[in-house]
Amino acid sequence: METMFIGGKWLAPQGGETIPVIAPADGLEFDRIGRGTAHEIDLAVAAARKARAGAWGRMNATERGRILGRIGQLVLDRVDTLAPLEARDTGKPMTTARNDIIVLARYFEFYGNAADKVHGEVIPFLDGYAVQLLREPLGVTAHIIPWNYPAQMLGRTLAPALAMGNATILKPAEDTSLSALAFARIALEAGLPDGALNIVTGYGHEVGAALTAHPGINFATFTGSNEVGTMVQQATAVNVVKCVLELGGKSPQIVFADADLDRAVPIIVKAIVQNAGQTCTAGSRLLIERKVYDDVLARVAEAFSKVRVGTPEMDLDCGPVMNPEQKKRVQGYIDAAKAEGIPVVAEGAFGDGLPAGGYYVKPTIFAPVPRDNPLAQQEVFGPVLAAFPFDDEADAIALANGTDYGLLAAVWTENAGRLTRVAKAVQAGQVFMNCYGAGGGVELPFGGTKRSGHGREKGLIALEEMSSTKTLVHYHG
Ligand code: NDP
């Protein structure tokens, strides 16, 4: 079971143990991956250090960019094989999986093109001095990604790190490691030097914990739960290593009475149903101005009741959730809200003939949800929408900001002044105005405030996050 990609070679885990790979669509095992240990993390860190000291560390930015560009093109060339693999591994509809692979390619295209455009600065200083600011790689970077968008996340985190010349170590989620392993073969084929990319599969509490606590890493990025993000920050702090955390959200869609509903309604439904709601940027709260509350809710409910859930091959609106724990968690929120008497406004439906062992849940809208209810405050990570009325602009802002999270928000109104005022007042890393973007958008700086995390990914800003500056002060008289 050679699923450790270390120093350009495929290795079996030292312990010889494997982990089953289960398809969420039917609950059946269809592959196995290696269960890595701290030993493989030691090997990966050593291989990455060697790469930094060798061919990869010496390579100029233009050549690095060319390799990244070749990777992007090869990913695009293989979309017909990578998309079904990703769909089987995650359960998502085939069209979504295909889009994820295209976005993966786009990350490598974008950062490949940017690699040799990272300029330093000349800083005015005292007479007789010349000061330069150089931008340098951090060294060995650690990347821990979750199971919801494995291919996209891989591109988001690895492409900027490699563009800056870092040597990388990836720990994919144990549920969804297959696209990362397929990607490693592409990176090799594209000419990425040995050790610039290392992949160690296994359990988070084993290899993830060993990686983030390793004294040989210089940086870590993590996307996932608050609980584990906190552990990552603590582990990296011990070695005074910087980390970027992306920990999810409870993103509001704020709909004012004058909103263009023909445009807004389908986007509002898609933003919570996409990827079975397992999207950190899912629009999981719908805030509606009270005077149009009934009308807007009725229109959203009508569209929502047409949502269909199916297997990847059925390619409907929504697939299964990731695993039995996730199903239990999402269903638990739905059952608890029903038991409390919170009205169900609409439900989606299962497509015909779903496999009995799959992890399916019915997309559901609840409204009105009390503002302090778990559905209003906690990340469900499933296709569950909570709706609320608000009275005026101030109330909308208070409601939007009334959770621990601050990742993304959307404002829907035809009043340009209000659009800007509310967008500025909302606590979030990204605010969409009369539009929404959950995922994609590789050009757009992305990340959260409050408990949604810190640091930024995507866009050119990621190149700053994944590099360090050095100031050269030259006295020339
Ligand atoms: P986790 O936070 O446990 O997993 C995210 C990643 O961290 C995975 O690669 C996991 O590995 C790894 N990991 C787990 N434990 C450690 C550790 N001690 N040190 C380092 N890495 C570790 O998320 P879950 O899969 O448990 O999902 C639970 C909830 O988290 C979801 O219901 C959702 O609310 C939230 N979540 C948010 C995401 C987001 O995009 N913001 C993405 C995924 C989940 P492995 O899976 O192999 O154990």
Side-chain angles (χ1 to χ4, degrees):
M1 179 49 54
E2 298 187 332
T3 61
M4 310 284 147
F5 181 68
I6 297 173
K9 312 245 167 343
W10 292 96
L11 307 177
Q14 189 190 37
E17 288 190 50
T18 58
I19 300 171
V21 180
I22 310 288
D26 55 20
L28 298 176
E29 178 180 328
F30 70 99
D31 204 345
R32 297 189 80 85
I33 54 163
R35 177 175 174 177
T37 63
H39 170 72
E40 282 78 32
I41 293 295
D42 283 340
L43 294 180
V45 172
R49 295 231 149 264
K50 198 168 159 200
R52 278 290 314 141
W56 180 240
R58 286 194 299 272
M59 189 177 286
N60 66 42
T62 307
E63 192 50 38
R64 285 202 305 270
R66 282 191 187 125
I67 293 175
L68 266 59
R70 282 202 292 276
I71 291 176
Q73 188 55 52
L74 284 170
V75 169
L76 270 187
D77 294 347
R78 311 271 158 87
V79 65
D80 290 339
T81 50
L82 291 171
L85 181 73
E86 187 76 336
R88 183 132 203 233
D89 212 12
T90 60
K92 61 182 73 187
M94 200 61 76
T95 301
T96 316
R98 200 176 169 82
N99 182 56
D100 286 3
I101 301 301
I102 291 167
V103 176
L104 164 62
R106 175 78 186 117
Y107 275 114
F108 278 85
E109 180 186 43
F110 180 83
Y111 289 109
N113 286 334
D116 60 1
K117 292 158 197 78
V118 179
H119 296 170
E121 288 176 33
V122 173
I123 299 177
F125 194 51
L126 304 173
D127 277 352
Y129 288 83
V131 182
Q132 281 175 279
L133 189 77
L134 305 183
R135 203 158 263 292
E136 300 186 323
L138 291 158
V140 175
T141 55
H143 306 260
I144 299 182
I145 59 173
W147 41 255
N148 52 348
Y149 291 88
Q152 279 206 38
M153 297 271 183
L154 181 159
R156 179 171 110 188
T157 189
L158 289 183
L162 291 168
M164 286 309 306
N166 298 291
T168 60
I169 302 169
L170 178 76
K171 207 303 276 178
E174 113 234 353
D175 279 330
T176 56
S177 296
L178 300 186
S179 52
L181 299 173
F183 174 83
R185 296 184 195 284
I186 287 176
L188 258 186
E189 195 179 328
L192 191 69
D194 293 350
L197 166 67
N198 304 277
I199 300 179
V200 181
T201 56
Y203 291 115
H205 63 275
E206 294 178 348
V207 283
L211 177 58
T212 49
H214 202 289
I217 64 163
N218 305 104
F219 171 83
T221 63
F222 170 84
T223 300
S225 63
N226 255 275
E227 189 192 3
V228 177
T230 309
M231 288 158 68
V232 167
Q233 181 150 351
Q234 286 170 339
T236 51
V238 170
N239 294 313
V240 198
V241 163
K242 169 178 152 179
C243 69
V244 166
L245 300 180
E246 203 274 88
L247 308 180
K250 194 74 194 171
S251 300
Q253 302 261 13
I254 309 169
V255 181
F256 285 93
D258 62 350
D260 175 354
L261 292 184
D262 289 340
R263 179 171 167 74
V265 168
I267 295 178
I268 287 167
V269 173
K270 182 161 187 270
I272 184 63
V273 167
Q274 176 180 319
N275 215 45
Q278 303 169 121
T279 305
C280 49
T281 49
S284 54
R285 291 187 296 150
L286 176 58
L287 283 48
I288 309 169
E289 192 167 0
R290 197 178 296 277
K291 55 187 167 192
V292 290
Y293 177 76
D294 290 337
D295 180 38
V296 173
L297 202 54
R299 289 187 62 170
V300 173
E302 193 200 348
F304 205 87
S305 62
K306 294 184 184 140
V307 167
R308 292 292 173 269
V309 181
T311 62
E313 294 71 26
M314 291 159 84
D315 205 20
L316 303 175
D317 309 294
C318 184
V321 296
M322 187 63 224
N323 53 37
E325 296 75 42
Q326 196 60 21
K327 178 172 174 176
K328 194 170 159 212
R329 176 191 159 98
V330 176
Q331 198 59 52
Y333 276 104
I334 294 173
D335 294 345
K338 285 182 178 170
E340 281 182 54
I342 302 175
V344 171
V345 174
E347 281 181 329
F350 291 159
D352 292 335
L354 293 187
Y359 313 130
Y360 298 95
V361 291
K362 272 201 182 136
T364 309
I365 310 182
F366 289 94
V369 175
R371 294 184 180 195
D372 59 353
N373 190 270
L375 270 191
Q377 295 293 328
Q378 296 172 14
E379 183 174 53
V380 175
F381 228 57
V384 181
L385 183 60
F388 316 78
F390 67 82
D391 294 321
D392 54 22
E393 200 174 303
D395 191 34
I397 292 165
L399 183 54
N401 290 342
T403 74
D404 289 339
Y405 291 103
L407 189 60
L408 205 120
V411 192
W412 300 90
T413 172
E414 295 297 293
N415 176 329
R418 167 173 283 164
L419 201 56
T420 310
R421 270 194 314 275
V422 176
K424 284 188 175 171
V426 167
Q427 296 161 334
Q430 285 185 338
V431 182
F432 287 85
M433 296 146 89
N434 292 329
C435 57
Y436 202 81
V442 308
E443 305 85 349
L444 312 177
F446 172 76
T449 59
K450 296 156 72 181
R451 285 191 174 263
S452 290
H454 51 69
R456 292 291 177 264
E457 296 183 291
K458 302 188 176 182
L460 293 177
I461 205 165
L463 298 172
E464 291 177 25
E465 288 284 11
M466 302 210 186
S467 61
S468 172
T469 58
K470 181 186 280 170
T471 310
L472 304 185
V473 183
H474 177 198
Y475 177 69
H476 53 71

